[in-house]
Amino acid sequence: MVSSSNSPESGQMGAEISEIPAVAERQIAEGLKHYVEEGRRLATLNPRVFLTCARGTSDHAATYFKYITETRLGIPVASVGPSVASVYQAPLRARDAVCICVSQSGASPDVVALQALARQKGARCIAVVNDPSSPVALESHAILPVLAGPERAVAATKSFVGSLIALCGIHAGMVGDRDLENAMRRLPEFLSNALGCDWSRAFGTIASASSLYVLGRGPGFAVALEAALKLKETCRLHAEAYSAAEARHGPLALAGRGVCVLAFVPGDQADDSVADAVSAFRMCGAAVLSAGSGDESAWLPTVRPPHDVLAPICQITSFYRFVDALAADLGENPSQPPHLQKVTRTI
């Protein structure tokens, strides 16, 4: 059994971050076989396209699925805006598609509406949810619980990691990747180690920045999106996520004006691309920090998992521990940010 302990500075969010290894262990024991079985079922269907239905943190998890599926299977994955169903009430051509809805609560009316429309139009609908009795789950052909348990902090953490693990399990089943499946069984141990990675050297650099760019590429772009959101909602710092490639098409012009770059190095074929972007920002005067690799002055330690596809899951776990401590250092309450609610119901 993986044990976890709450750090001294943590409140509710910190306690839930500490639960991440135990959540992963529960998923491996109780959920992985179902995730893989659904992936194998999808492989027999041979879908031409995947549609994803999600918002916020859950949409970042869907982005992870997008990149591992497109890069390793070549099947397009498109994020469909829930307003297509809820606001515009538009027809949706979903025959021969698979629609994966990712949601913590499974209760937002617009997400429920899109899932129902996709099913009506012929898609196989899958719900990756923390609440298997939610309306989104009830509109699905297959319900895959993330098994994160109650999450009371407004900022989602353990449920996000649980969503990544569930989506990775689906992917492993589709690809028939036994190596990935076996690597996932070892993941709780690596996540426990990821919680111990010390990013305290980044406190001053990030806290003093007037604006932050968070960079990633491929599956790592999903955690860049998530990190930027968490910096905004828990620390009230302005942060935007960019692909390492897109960052050089315009955002580079702001380098040197109090901009700090936090780069997630994916540990795959995109490493050189991310490194090149980091170098360009440094040369233009931006402060830079790299999670995964980089020169000694800017390097933030991460855990190297037994499979490259799992690297973003370990990286975001280390980031969560860091951002919780940073928020406390800044005098913020990351468990209850101002103006936000745990369940956001949009139409």
Side-chain angles (χ1 to χ4, degrees), residues 64-111:
Y64 171 75
F65 179 79
K66 168 186 173 67
Y67 277 102
I68 61 175
T69 300
E70 291 180 346
T71 59
R72 304 183 82 234
L73 275 174
I75 302 174
V77 180
S79 174
V80 179
S83 62
V84 166
S86 62
V87 174
Y88 296 99
Q89 300 178 5
L92 183 69
R93 297 181 182 181
R95 188 171 301 279
D96 299 324
V98 172
C99 181
I100 299 182
C101 181
V102 187
S103 178
Q104 297 149 42
S105 69
S108 187
D110 53 351
V111 172

Side-chain angles (χ1 to χ4, degrees), residues 159-235:
S159 65
F160 175 71
V161 173
S163 297
L164 296 182
I165 292 171
L167 291 166
C168 189
I170 295 171
H171 174 81
M174 287 183 61
V175 179
D177 190 337
R178 294 286 188 180
D179 288 340
L180 177 56
E181 188 177 338
N182 290 333
M184 291 182 70
R185 297 184 189 282
R186 300 175 57 198
L187 187 57
E189 153 195 3
F190 286 85
L191 293 177
S192 184
N193 292 335
L195 287 176
C197 290
D198 182 6
W199 287 20
S200 59
R201 67 166 59 185
F203 274 29
T205 304
I206 288 181
S208 63
S210 61
S211 191
L212 293 121
Y213 289 155
V214 189
L215 307 185
R217 198 90 196 260
F221 182 49
V223 298
L225 289 164
E226 174 63 7
L229 176 63
K230 288 298 183 285
L231 285 164
K232 282 182 276 202
E233 68 180 346
T234 68
C235 299

Side-chain angles (χ1 to χ4, degrees), residues 49 78 140 241 259:
V49 65
S140 302
V259 170

Side-chain angles (χ1 to χ4, degrees), residues 100-156:
I100 299 182
C101 181
V102 187
S103 178
Q104 297 149 42
S105 69
S108 187
D110 53 351
V111 172
V112 175
L114 179 57
Q115 185 83 330
L117 178 62
R119 178 169 182 159
Q120 177 190 340
K121 296 298 183 179
R124 176 169 179 81
C125 291
I126 301 166
V128 176
V129 290
N130 201 31
D131 182 356
S133 65
S134 63
V136 158
L138 298 178
E139 288 290 351
S140 302
H141 296 100
I143 304 169
L144 299 178
V146 303
L147 304 170
E151 189 173 54
R152 296 182 177 86
V154 169

Side-chain angles (χ1 to χ4, degrees), residues 218-272:
F221 182 49
V223 298
L225 289 164
E226 174 63 7
L229 176 63
K230 288 298 183 285
L231 285 164
K232 282 182 276 202
E233 68 180 346
T234 68
C235 299
R236 293 204 280 179
L237 295 172
H238 179 255
E240 299 297 335
Y242 288 97
S243 156
E246 291 293 338
R248 301 182 69 174
H249 280 254
L252 186 62
L254 293 180
R257 298 187 179 186
V259 170
C260 173
V261 171
L262 171 59
F264 287 90
V265 182
D268 60 18
Q269 299 95 315
D271 281 7
D272 289 344

Side-chain angles (χ1 to χ4, degrees), residues 298-319:
W299 178 66
L300 301 175
T302 57
V303 171
R304 185 74 179 184
H307 198 292
D308 288 350
V309 168
L310 304 176
I313 304 177
C314 292
Q315 289 178 344
I316 200 62
T317 299
S318 297
F319 172 83

